[in-house]
Amino acid sequence: EQYRNFKLPIFCDEYLSELRTHLSEETVISYKTGISGFHRFLQNENIPFLKLSRRNCVHWMEWMFEKEYAASTRLQRIVTVKGYLNWIVDRKIHFFNVNDLLRSDDLPQLDDLLPRPLPHAIDDEIQKRLRESTDVYHKGALLLRYTGVRLGDLERILANPIRKDDKGRTFLHVPP
C-alpha cells in the first residue's frame, strides 16, 4: 500500500522524460524502478533527499546486500542512481559531490561464471532430437551446439554457406 501511494520528486519525472528521448521504454522503466527504490529507502529511513550523505549511500548499499539483491542488480541500481544524481547536479537542481556519494569501488564485482552444463543424458537426448528433426531452426541449434558459432553469426549465414578455398579445403563461410 505504501508503494502504491509513493510519489517521486517532480524532477525525477523530468529525468525519465529526458531518458525517453534516447532509450527504450523498457530501459526507462528499469531506471524508474531503481530510482524509486532508492527514494523509498530514503523515505523509510527518514533521510531527506537533499541532505544525502556518503554514510546514507553506504547504508543503502548495505541494505541492498542484506536484502540479498543479486550483485548484478546492486550494480545496476548504483549506476542508475549515480547517473540520476549527476543529472540533478548538471541541471543545477541541487549540488551533490556524486563521486564521493557513490564511488567506483562501491560497485560489486560480478562473478564470471559460465552456465552449468546440461547433464550428459539430457544433452544427448536434445542432440538426438535435433538431429532427427527436419526443421531448419533445429538444424541451426545443432550447428550452434557443435561449432560454438554465435547466434548473431548464425543469423547471417547464407542458405549455402559451404565454401572451398584455393587449396580445395572446405569451410563454413560466415559473412561479416
Side-chain angles (χ1 to χ4, degrees), residues 75-164:
L75 175 77
Q76 186 265 342
R77 297 278 171 97
I78 294 167
V79 169
T80 297
V81 168
K82 188 169 185 173
Y84 171 59
L85 294 175
N86 277 318
W87 181 87
I88 288 170
V89 170
D90 291 345
R91 298 302 177 281
K92 297 181 177 23
I93 295 168
H94 189 69
F95 177 77
F96 294 109
N97 184 342
V98 179
N99 290 327
D100 183 52
L101 293 176
L102 295 168
R103 301 173 183 162
S104 58
D105 58 353
D106 291 333
L107 300 176
Q109 295 296 310
L110 300 180
D111 295 328
D112 292 331
L113 300 176
L114 294 172
R116 279 184 268 151
L118 293 171
H120 289 294
I122 293 173
D123 187 39
D124 289 344
E125 180 63 25
I126 290 171
Q127 288 182 60
K128 177 179 173 269
R129 290 181 187 190
L130 292 172
R131 277 193 307 274
E132 292 171 354
S133 173
T134 58
D135 185 287
V136 68
Y137 294 106
H138 293 169
K139 297 301 180 191
L142 198 56
L143 182 65
L144 291 170
R145 172 65 180 81
Y146 285 159
T147 65
V149 70
R150 295 177 302 213
L151 185 57
D153 293 336
L154 179 62
E155 290 173 338
R156 291 191 304 276
I157 292 178
L158 305 173
N160 186 8
I162 307 301
R163 302 281 192 272
K164 290 194 183 256

